[in-house]
Amino acid sequence: MIRKKSRREESLDHAELARLLPAPGDPHLSLDRHLLLEEHLMNEIQRTAPAPAPAPSRRPARRVLLIGVPVTAAALAGAFAFTALTGSGGSDPAAATPPPVEAPVVRIEPGSTAQLASTVEHIAAAASASKTPEPGPGQYIYIKSKVSYLSVSHTDTDKSKTLVQPLHIREAWNSPDGKQGWLDEPGYHPKGGITLDSDVESSLNAPSYDYLKTLPTDPDALLKKIYKETKGQGNSPDQEAFTTVGDLLGEQLAPAKLNAALYRAAAKIPGVVVVDHAQDAAGREGIALAHVDQKSGDRTEWIFDPKTYAYLGSRAVQVKQADDIKPGTVLEYTAVLERAVVDAQKQRPGAQGTDA
């Protein structure tokens, strides 16, 4: 049914409309959040389009915050509505995306620089001593994780909810040169997974194992390169540097010397602190190296085993009230469950042959 305008509606002037309608929210988005929103919407369109979508990023998209921006919120609602109508995302109509859940809220643990130097040295020493497998031609780097990422933060009639994906398993396979790969993330991609094949040249934002081997292992030189190549990105140079290092630690395999250099470089970033108690997505307790994004108010934490100093996973916790997100809200968290080198795409460690 098409609703016709009444004469009263036709005669309303701008002053009358301003009186009747609520005051508009501030439509301004920072460049970083605008780009994140654009990436999220493009992912939704690609996942729901009937034609095959281009290969996605090899790493999970960083979180998107959409609060109090009327046009943007409407666009996102349209994307979610389209997903619901088409039933899935991708080519398999039977694979429905799980509904988001309310984000957990935790106690905010204090951070300190008192033990930063010694903690980083313990972590770097453990990384140097680790026996990192060397992937060869035809082999694949396999990473199995448990993850939950921010879905959307929605404000309605003075009530706010921060919604995240339910915890789920994510498996990724990548060739050493970064040209071939596969991603299996049930519920978020078509059944069986999607290709990560790409002709994009490797970089800090799209690293391959072969590319990581070319990076300097001197912490100062490495940090200088990171700041240079991420200039103008993110909410601040320091936050973007910390985020970039974190991206190289999670769904990736790096040579042992580079891993140690990354931790030592991160310790030189202003604002990095040690958090004595943190928990990854698998429920494992650990200590963390952390950095607060002063613009968005959330703290990114890299979590390590308190005894072996092995990397466990990551967590993002809101530590300052911002955009109606309560302090203590866990915006995303991950846990690396397995990291190995396998002989074929879609093969899992210990398996003979290829798992479809």
Side-chain angles (χ1 to χ4, degrees), residues 223-246:
L223 191 59
K224 183 178 179 180
K225 180 179 178 65
I226 290 171
Y227 272 105
K228 181 180 179 180
E229 295 197 12
T230 60
K231 186 177 180 179
Q233 301 176 25
N235 284 342
S236 72
D238 294 337
Q239 180 62 33
E240 187 62 19
F242 190 81
T243 298
T244 298
V245 173

PDB file of all heavy atoms in Angstrom, residues 223-246:
ATOM      1  N   LEU A 223      60.647  -0.816  13.689  1.00  0.00           N
ATOM      2  CA  LEU A 223      59.617   0.133  14.112  1.00  0.00           C
ATOM      3  C   LEU A 223      59.594   1.356  13.187  1.00  0.00           C
ATOM      4  O   LEU A 223      58.513   1.873  12.856  1.00  0.00           O
ATOM      5  CB  LEU A 223      59.869   0.568  15.552  1.00  0.00           C
ATOM      6  CG  LEU A 223      58.743   1.364  16.220  1.00  0.00           C
ATOM      7  CD1 LEU A 223      57.449   0.556  16.244  1.00  0.00           C
ATOM      8  CD2 LEU A 223      59.141   1.770  17.636  1.00  0.00           C
ATOM      9  N   LYS A 224      60.748   1.797  12.766  1.00  0.00           N
ATOM     10  CA  LYS A 224      60.827   2.932  11.834  1.00  0.00           C
ATOM     11  C   LYS A 224      60.093   2.608  10.538  1.00  0.00           C
ATOM     12  O   LYS A 224      59.353   3.435  10.003  1.00  0.00           O
ATOM     13  CB  LYS A 224      62.289   3.272  11.556  1.00  0.00           C
ATOM     14  CG  LYS A 224      62.474   4.481  10.650  1.00  0.00           C
ATOM     15  CD  LYS A 224      63.959   4.791  10.448  1.00  0.00           C
ATOM     16  CE  LYS A 224      64.137   5.998   9.518  1.00  0.00           C
ATOM     17  NZ  LYS A 224      65.590   6.314   9.322  1.00  0.00           N
ATOM     18  N   LYS A 225      60.281   1.396  10.041  1.00  0.00           N
ATOM     19  CA  LYS A 225      59.611   0.975   8.809  1.00  0.00           C
ATOM     20  C   LYS A 225      58.090   0.922   9.008  1.00  0.00           C
ATOM     21  O   LYS A 225      57.317   1.346   8.140  1.00  0.00           O
ATOM     22  CB  LYS A 225      60.134  -0.397   8.383  1.00  0.00           C
ATOM     23  CG  LYS A 225      59.494  -0.934   7.098  1.00  0.00           C
ATOM     24  CD  LYS A 225      60.088  -2.290   6.736  1.00  0.00           C
ATOM     25  CE  LYS A 225      59.423  -2.844   5.478  1.00  0.00           C
ATOM     26  NZ  LYS A 225      59.706  -2.023   4.282  1.00  0.00           N
ATOM     27  N   ILE A 226      57.658   0.412  10.154  1.00  0.00           N
ATOM     28  CA  ILE A 226      56.225   0.306  10.429  1.00  0.00           C
ATOM     29  C   ILE A 226      55.574   1.688  10.478  1.00  0.00           C
ATOM     30  O   ILE A 226      54.518   1.921   9.881  1.00  0.00           O
ATOM     31  CB  ILE A 226      55.989  -0.456  11.747  1.00  0.00           C
ATOM     32  CG1 ILE A 226      56.351  -1.932  11.560  1.00  0.00           C
ATOM     33  CG2 ILE A 226      54.538  -0.322  12.203  1.00  0.00           C
ATOM     34  CD1 ILE A 226      56.356  -2.736  12.847  1.00  0.00           C
ATOM     35  N   TYR A 227      56.221   2.635  11.173  1.00  0.00           N
ATOM     36  CA  TYR A 227      55.673   3.994  11.240  1.00  0.00           C
ATOM     37  C   TYR A 227      55.632   4.632   9.849  1.00  0.00           C
ATOM     38  O   TYR A 227      54.657   5.305   9.492  1.00  0.00           O
ATOM     39  CB  TYR A 227      56.510   4.861  12.181  1.00  0.00           C
ATOM     40  CG  TYR A 227      56.088   4.803  13.631  1.00  0.00           C
ATOM     41  CD1 TYR A 227      56.827   4.088  14.568  1.00  0.00           C
ATOM     42  CD2 TYR A 227      54.952   5.475  14.070  1.00  0.00           C
ATOM     43  CE1 TYR A 227      56.450   4.044  15.904  1.00  0.00           C
ATOM     44  CE2 TYR A 227      54.559   5.438  15.389  1.00  0.00           C
ATOM     45  CZ  TYR A 227      55.308   4.722  16.312  1.00  0.00           C
ATOM     46  OH  TYR A 227      54.915   4.682  17.630  1.00  0.00           O
ATOM     47  N   LYS A 228      56.667   4.405   9.070  1.00  0.00           N
ATOM     48  CA  LYS A 228      56.733   5.004   7.735  1.00  0.00           C
ATOM     49  C   LYS A 228      55.637   4.464   6.825  1.00  0.00           C
ATOM     50  O   LYS A 228      54.959   5.223   6.121  1.00  0.00           O
ATOM     51  CB  LYS A 228      58.114   4.740   7.119  1.00  0.00           C
ATOM     52  CG  LYS A 228      58.288   5.344   5.724  1.00  0.00           C
ATOM     53  CD  LYS A 228      59.673   5.050   5.168  1.00  0.00           C
ATOM     54  CE  LYS A 228      59.822   5.633   3.764  1.00  0.00           C
ATOM     55  NZ  LYS A 228      61.185   5.335   3.208  1.00  0.00           N
ATOM     56  N   GLU A 229      55.434   3.150   6.833  1.00  0.00           N
ATOM     57  CA  GLU A 229      54.497   2.537   5.894  1.00  0.00           C
ATOM     58  C   GLU A 229      53.041   2.622   6.352  1.00  0.00           C
ATOM     59  O   GLU A 229      52.138   2.317   5.579  1.00  0.00           O
ATOM     60  CB  GLU A 229      54.899   1.086   5.632  1.00  0.00           C
ATOM     61  CG  GLU A 229      56.238   0.981   4.931  1.00  0.00           C
ATOM     62  CD  GLU A 229      56.490  -0.370   4.307  1.00  0.00           C
ATOM     63  OE1 GLU A 229      55.536  -1.173   4.207  1.00  0.00           O
ATOM     64  OE2 GLU A 229      57.644  -0.625   3.915  1.00  0.00           O
ATOM     65  N   THR A 230      52.809   3.014   7.602  1.00  0.00           N
ATOM     66  CA  THR A 230      51.423   3.172   8.078  1.00  0.00           C
ATOM     67  C   THR A 230      51.082   4.639   8.319  1.00  0.00           C
ATOM     68  O   THR A 230      50.040   4.938   8.912  1.00  0.00           O
ATOM     69  CB  THR A 230      51.190   2.367   9.373  1.00  0.00           C
ATOM     70  OG1 THR A 230      52.078   2.842  10.402  1.00  0.00           O
ATOM     71  CG2 THR A 230      51.437   0.882   9.152  1.00  0.00           C
ATOM     72  N   LYS A 231      51.903   5.536   7.849  1.00  0.00           N
ATOM     73  CA  LYS A 231      51.678   6.966   8.046  1.00  0.00           C
ATOM     74  C   LYS A 231      50.319   7.386   7.492  1.00  0.00           C
ATOM     75  O   LYS A 231      49.964   7.039   6.369  1.00  0.00           O
ATOM     76  CB  LYS A 231      52.785   7.771   7.365  1.00  0.00           C
ATOM     77  CG  LYS A 231      52.709   9.276   7.634  1.00  0.00           C
ATOM     78  CD  LYS A 231      53.866  10.007   6.993  1.00  0.00           C
ATOM     79  CE  LYS A 231      53.790  11.509   7.276  1.00  0.00           C
ATOM     80  NZ  LYS A 231      54.943  12.239   6.667  1.00  0.00           N
ATOM     81  N   GLY A 232      49.562   8.105   8.301  1.00  0.00           N
ATOM     82  CA  GLY A 232      48.253   8.587   7.873  1.00  0.00           C
ATOM     83  C   GLY A 232      47.122   7.595   8.070  1.00  0.00           C
ATOM     84  O   GLY A 232      45.964   7.912   7.785  1.00  0.00           O
ATOM     85  N   GLN A 233      47.424   6.402   8.550  1.00  0.00           N
ATOM     86  CA  GLN A 233      46.393   5.391   8.764  1.00  0.00           C
ATOM     87  C   GLN A 233      45.993   5.358  10.241  1.00  0.00           C
ATOM     88  O   GLN A 233      46.752   5.744  11.118  1.00  0.00           O
ATOM     89  CB  GLN A 233      46.903   4.007   8.343  1.00  0.00           C
ATOM     90  CG  GLN A 233      47.325   3.906   6.880  1.00  0.00           C
ATOM     91  CD  GLN A 233      47.904   2.544   6.543  1.00  0.00           C
ATOM     92  OE1 GLN A 233      47.605   1.553   7.179  1.00  0.00           O
ATOM     93  NE2 GLN A 233      48.756   2.501   5.526  1.00  0.00           N
ATOM     94  N   GLY A 234      44.796   4.859  10.503  1.00  0.00           N
ATOM     95  CA  GLY A 234      44.349   4.650  11.875  1.00  0.00           C
ATOM     96  C   GLY A 234      44.035   5.933  12.616  1.00  0.00           C
ATOM     97  O   GLY A 234      44.045   7.036  12.062  1.00  0.00           O
ATOM     98  N   ASN A 235      43.766   5.796  13.913  1.00  0.00           N
ATOM     99  CA  ASN A 235      43.400   6.936  14.753  1.00  0.00           C
ATOM    100  C   ASN A 235      44.591   7.736  15.238  1.00  0.00           C
ATOM    101  O   ASN A 235      44.449   8.886  15.636  1.00  0.00           O
ATOM    102  CB  ASN A 235      42.572   6.458  15.946  1.00  0.00           C
ATOM    103  CG  ASN A 235      41.145   6.118  15.551  1.00  0.00           C
ATOM    104  OD1 ASN A 235      40.671   6.527  14.499  1.00  0.00           O
ATOM    105  ND2 ASN A 235      40.448   5.372  16.398  1.00  0.00           N
ATOM    106  N   SER A 236      45.770   7.129  15.246  1.00  0.00           N
ATOM    107  CA  SER A 236      47.002   7.833  15.624  1.00  0.00           C
ATOM    108  C   SER A 236      48.179   6.993  15.147  1.00  0.00           C
ATOM    109  O   SER A 236      48.049   5.776  14.966  1.00  0.00           O
ATOM    110  CB  SER A 236      47.074   8.039  17.145  1.00  0.00           C
ATOM    111  OG  SER A 236      47.339   6.802  17.801  1.00  0.00           O
ATOM    112  N   PRO A 237      49.336   7.598  14.935  1.00  0.00           N
ATOM    113  CA  PRO A 237      50.510   6.820  14.501  1.00  0.00           C
ATOM    114  C   PRO A 237      50.877   5.701  15.472  1.00  0.00           C
ATOM    115  O   PRO A 237      51.200   4.586  15.044  1.00  0.00           O
ATOM    116  CB  PRO A 237      51.615   7.875  14.419  1.00  0.00           C
ATOM    117  CG  PRO A 237      50.892   9.156  14.183  1.00  0.00           C
ATOM    118  CD  PRO A 237      49.616   9.044  14.968  1.00  0.00           C
ATOM    119  N   ASP A 238      50.820   5.983  16.774  1.00  0.00           N
ATOM    120  CA  ASP A 238      51.195   4.966  17.765  1.00  0.00           C
ATOM    121  C   ASP A 238      50.203   3.811  17.776  1.00  0.00           C
ATOM    122  O   ASP A 238      50.593   2.640  17.828  1.00  0.00           O
ATOM    123  CB  ASP A 238      51.278   5.587  19.165  1.00  0.00           C
ATOM    124  CG  ASP A 238      52.400   6.610  19.277  1.00  0.00           C
ATOM    125  OD1 ASP A 238      53.352   6.541  18.477  1.00  0.00           O
ATOM    126  OD2 ASP A 238      52.310   7.490  20.154  1.00  0.00           O
ATOM    127  N   GLN A 239      48.910   4.129  17.735  1.00  0.00           N
ATOM    128  CA  GLN A 239      47.902   3.070  17.742  1.00  0.00           C
ATOM    129  C   GLN A 239      48.003   2.220  16.485  1.00  0.00           C
ATOM    130  O   GLN A 239      47.889   0.996  16.547  1.00  0.00           O
ATOM    131  CB  GLN A 239      46.495   3.676  17.855  1.00  0.00           C
ATOM    132  CG  GLN A 239      45.374   2.647  17.859  1.00  0.00           C
ATOM    133  CD  GLN A 239      45.450   1.691  19.036  1.00  0.00           C
ATOM    134  OE1 GLN A 239      45.893   2.086  20.119  1.00  0.00           O
ATOM    135  NE2 GLN A 239      45.026   0.453  18.842  1.00  0.00           N
ATOM    136  N   GLU A 240      48.232   2.849  15.342  1.00  0.00           N
ATOM    137  CA  GLU A 240      48.320   2.091  14.097  1.00  0.00           C
ATOM    138  C   GLU A 240      49.561   1.198  14.077  1.00  0.00           C
ATOM    139  O   GLU A 240      49.529   0.083  13.573  1.00  0.00           O
ATOM    140  CB  GLU A 240      48.331   3.037  12.900  1.00  0.00           C
ATOM    141  CG  GLU A 240      48.244   2.344  11.550  1.00  0.00           C
ATOM    142  CD  GLU A 240      46.970   1.547  11.354  1.00  0.00           C
ATOM    143  OE1 GLU A 240      45.981   1.783  12.083  1.00  0.00           O
ATOM    144  OE2 GLU A 240      46.956   0.667  10.463  1.00  0.00           O
ATOM    145  N   ALA A 241      50.657   1.687  14.650  1.00  0.00           N
ATOM    146  CA  ALA A 241      51.869   0.865  14.741  1.00  0.00           C
ATOM    147  C   ALA A 241      51.617  -0.362  15.606  1.00  0.00           C
ATOM    148  O   ALA A 241      51.997  -1.489  15.252  1.00  0.00           O
ATOM    149  CB  ALA A 241      53.027   1.689  15.304  1.00  0.00           C
ATOM    150  N   PHE A 242      50.960  -0.157  16.748  1.00  0.00           N
ATOM    151  CA  PHE A 242      50.657  -1.275  17.642  1.00  0.00           C
ATOM    152  C   PHE A 242      49.707  -2.266  16.965  1.00  0.00           C
ATOM    153  O   PHE A 242      49.897  -3.483  17.053  1.00  0.00           O
ATOM    154  CB  PHE A 242      50.039  -0.746  18.940  1.00  0.00           C
ATOM    155  CG  PHE A 242      49.914  -1.773  20.026  1.00  0.00           C
ATOM    156  CD1 PHE A 242      50.999  -2.103  20.821  1.00  0.00           C
ATOM    157  CD2 PHE A 242      48.701  -2.423  20.259  1.00  0.00           C
ATOM    158  CE1 PHE A 242      50.888  -3.058  21.829  1.00  0.00           C
ATOM    159  CE2 PHE A 242      48.584  -3.375  21.262  1.00  0.00           C
ATOM    160  CZ  PHE A 242      49.674  -3.695  22.048  1.00  0.00           C
ATOM    161  N   THR A 243      48.697  -1.752  16.280  1.00  0.00           N
ATOM    162  CA  THR A 243      47.748  -2.609  15.574  1.00  0.00           C
ATOM    163  C   THR A 243      48.438  -3.420  14.486  1.00  0.00           C
ATOM    164  O   THR A 243      48.157  -4.609  14.312  1.00  0.00           O
ATOM    165  CB  THR A 243      46.622  -1.750  14.948  1.00  0.00           C
ATOM    166  OG1 THR A 243      45.916  -1.078  15.989  1.00  0.00           O
ATOM    167  CG2 THR A 243      45.647  -2.608  14.161  1.00  0.00           C
ATOM    168  N   THR A 244      49.341  -2.785  13.762  1.00  0.00           N
ATOM    169  CA  THR A 244      50.048  -3.467  12.670  1.00  0.00           C
ATOM    170  C   THR A 244      50.901  -4.612  13.201  1.00  0.00           C
ATOM    171  O   THR A 244      50.911  -5.711  12.643  1.00  0.00           O
ATOM    172  CB  THR A 244      50.917  -2.464  11.896  1.00  0.00           C
ATOM    173  OG1 THR A 244      50.073  -1.462  11.323  1.00  0.00           O
ATOM    174  CG2 THR A 244      51.696  -3.162  10.788  1.00  0.00           C
ATOM    175  N   VAL A 245      51.621  -4.376  14.294  1.00  0.00           N
ATOM    176  CA  VAL A 245      52.414  -5.449  14.895  1.00  0.00           C
ATOM    177  C   VAL A 245      51.495  -6.587  15.322  1.00  0.00           C
ATOM    178  O   VAL A 245      51.785  -7.770  15.084  1.00  0.00           O
ATOM    179  CB  VAL A 245      53.233  -4.928  16.092  1.00  0.00           C
ATOM    180  CG1 VAL A 245      53.927  -6.091  16.807  1.00  0.00           C
ATOM    181  CG2 VAL A 245      54.266  -3.907  15.639  1.00  0.00           C
ATOM    182  N   GLY A 246      50.373  -6.242  15.930  1.00  0.00           N
ATOM    183  CA  GLY A 246      49.423  -7.269  16.372  1.00  0.00           C
ATOM    184  C   GLY A 246      48.890  -8.105  15.232  1.00  0.00           C
ATOM    185  O   GLY A 246      48.701  -9.321  15.364  1.00  0.00           O
TER     186      GLY A 246
END
